[in-house]
Amino acid sequence: MSTNVIELNHVQKNFGRTQALKNVTFNVPTGEVVGFLGPNGAGKSTTIRILLGMLKRNGGEATVFGQDPWHNDLQIHPRIAYVPGDVYLWPNLTGGEIVDLLLRLNGQNHTAKTDELMKVFEFDPKKKARAYSKGNRQKVALIAALSQDAELYIFDEPTSGLDPLNELTFQQEVLKLKEAGKTVLLSSHILSEVEKMCDAIVIIREGEIIEQGNLDQMRHLSRLRVQVETDAAITGLDKQSGVYDLKFTNHDQTAATFAVDHDVLGQVMAALTPLGIKDFQSTPPTLEDLFLHYYSDKGATQHVAQ
Ligand SMILES: Nc1ncnc2c1ncn2[C@@H]1O[C@H](COP(=O)(O)OP(=O)(O)OP(=O)(O)O)[C@@H](O)[C@H]1O
Ligand SMILES: [Mg+2]
């Protein structure tokens, strides 16, 4: 069997004149949790719908478990648990009835795991679905998906309606899937969420994959944040290439913050050392910084990981 559960190669999708996907190429290896990041309208849900055989691509190759999802959706569906971005429920059924219905539609049963999930998500299964808030509607789909024994789990922005405690519960459940060797594709625009759970991330913008790699590979492309305090006034750093956003935080210019490219860090340290370093803190960039970097205007340049 292929080592990739999902393979996408130059996938394209048009809606009339809108080129929703221009070039989507990435793989999801077996047993990995992959974060699929991008802003609104980038093409995350469209890609996911192609993987589920709900949309027909206009070009490129797509396989799930080695099969074309458009032609073999009936074969691949029983192996997938999916939570859509917008959860629609039958208004006259209770949440509990819908969870069981969703499970049965996937050939699965209500198990002890289902009860456990209802407990950890503090979900009341007795209310009619029309009375549920957005978060509760999302919980119905999450509980049904997470209590399935699937090989591949696809979550499309699963925590957008959840409060922080439930978001944490969701993260813990994904980590359990990861420990059990399951494969997960998780779309999100929340980077901190992805950082905690994912082995690798793929960033999509305007229908194109602009970056992909594991977290370490992504981090080295961004800049370190530095906070420094010295005995003598700091001079010359403003002229050093690779140093950005230099700000002095006291009047005698012996305390500063700045961002620095990794490859000039040595030069910056060499310039600071003779000044007598009293304090030095550097923080690795979060994915938040990375994201801002890519989606700012100057972030339009392409980078290649590795
Ligand atoms: N059924 C459709 N008909 C026409 N255009 C569509 C359709 N579905 C998506 N699009 C367009 O395709 C592009 C990608 O949309 P998509 O829903 O995949 O983005 P997304 O990354 O999931 O965004 P979000 O974060 O808002 O969910 C957008 O420009 C959207 O307007
Ligand atoms: Mg979407």
Side-chain angles (χ1 to χ4, degrees):
M1 195 195 125
S2 154
T3 53
N4 293 317
V5 171
I6 293 173
E7 292 189 358
L8 291 161
N9 215 345
H10 302 296
V11 169
Q12 294 164 16
K13 176 69 194 170
N14 304 327
F15 294 107
R17 275 191 215 151
T18 310
Q19 271 192 296
L21 303 182
K22 293 173 197 148
N23 181 9
V24 173
T25 302
F26 68 91
N27 297 331
V28 178
T30 308
E32 282 204 11
V33 180
V34 173
F36 190 28
L37 290 173
N40 294 135
K44 302 181 295 296
S45 299
T46 303
T47 305
I48 287 173
R49 288 187 190 118
I50 286 173
L51 291 173
L52 292 163
M54 294 156 69
L55 285 177
K56 190 176 181 185
R57 62 190 185 275
N58 295 106
E61 301 299 318
T63 59
V64 179
F65 301 116
Q67 302 189 65
D68 184 331
W70 181 249
H71 293 111
N72 303 96
D73 56 329
L74 292 179
Q75 284 92 317
I76 65 169
H77 276 186
R79 302 170 73 179
I80 303 175
Y82 165 57
V83 175
D86 305 305
V87 178
Y88 295 101
L89 303 175
W90 295 268
N92 290 324
L93 297 183
T94 67
E97 287 167 341
I98 295 172
V99 167
D100 289 353
L101 184 59
L102 290 173
L103 282 170
R104 278 206 301 278
L105 287 173
N106 266 301
Q108 307 249 341
N109 291 314
H110 187 120
T111 59
K113 174 77 185 167
T114 318
D115 292 330
E116 183 202 316
L117 285 163
M118 286 189 182
K119 217 190 235 166
V120 291
F121 278 107
E122 295 180 319
F123 176 72
D124 176 3
K126 294 191 190 73
K127 271 194 195 165
K128 286 261 190 336
R130 73 160 72 87
Y132 283 132
S133 63
K134 177 174 166 40
N136 278 321
R137 285 200 300 276
Q138 209 154 17
K139 284 183 195 178
V140 172
L142 281 174
I143 290 166
L146 287 165
S147 61
Q148 279 178 55
D149 185 18
E151 289 165 73
L152 169 64
Y153 293 78
I154 298 180
F155 301 104
D156 194 358
E157 308 225 23
T159 58
S160 55
L162 299 185
D163 62 37
L165 264 185
N166 282 303
E167 194 184 318
L168 202 64
T169 302
F170 172 74
Q171 288 174 3
Q172 285 161 351
E173 290 301 322
V174 171
L175 291 176
K176 282 185 203 164
L177 294 178
K178 190 165 154 171
E179 278 162 27
K182 307 292 191 181
T183 308
V184 181
L185 178 66
L186 173 73
S187 96
S188 179
H189 56 264
I190 308 165
L191 291 129
S192 50
E193 174 176 282
V194 160
E195 203 168 21
K196 283 176 204 134
M197 292 175 283
C198 296
D199 301 300
I201 64 174
V202 174
I203 302 181
I204 185 169
R205 180 176 64 177
E206 293 171 13
E208 284 184 275
I209 304 301
I210 56 161
E211 185 59 85
Q212 55 184 306
N214 65 35
L215 289 183
D216 287 340
Q217 287 167 341
M218 307 301 267
R219 279 205 186 95
H220 86 268
L221 296 170
S222 195
R223 295 166 187 152
L224 288 170
R225 267 262 137 223
V226 173
Q227 223 177 316
V228 67
E229 232 185 293
T230 49
D231 289 319
I234 298 165
T235 53
L237 268 193
D238 50 341
K239 291 183 194 76
Q240 168 74 51
S241 66
V243 171
Y244 310 86
D245 305 330
L246 177 66
K247 287 190 188 80
F248 293 103
T249 49
N250 66 0
H251 288 301
D252 50 9
Q253 302 205 346
T254 57
T257 63
F258 56 90
V260 59
D261 285 334
H262 276 84
D263 53 354
V264 299
L265 188 59
Q267 289 169 44
V268 168
M269 292 305 282
L272 289 172
T273 305
L275 307 175
I277 298 174
K278 276 166 52 186
D279 190 23
F280 184 93
Q281 290 177 45
S282 86
T283 328
T286 63
L287 282 173
E288 218 79 50
D289 297 333
L290 197 85
F291 209 52
L292 289 173
H293 179 66
Y294 281 116
Y295 294 116
S296 66
D297 289 335
K298 61 185 175 193
T301 45
Q302 292 230 355
H303 295 262
V304 179
Q306 282 151 18

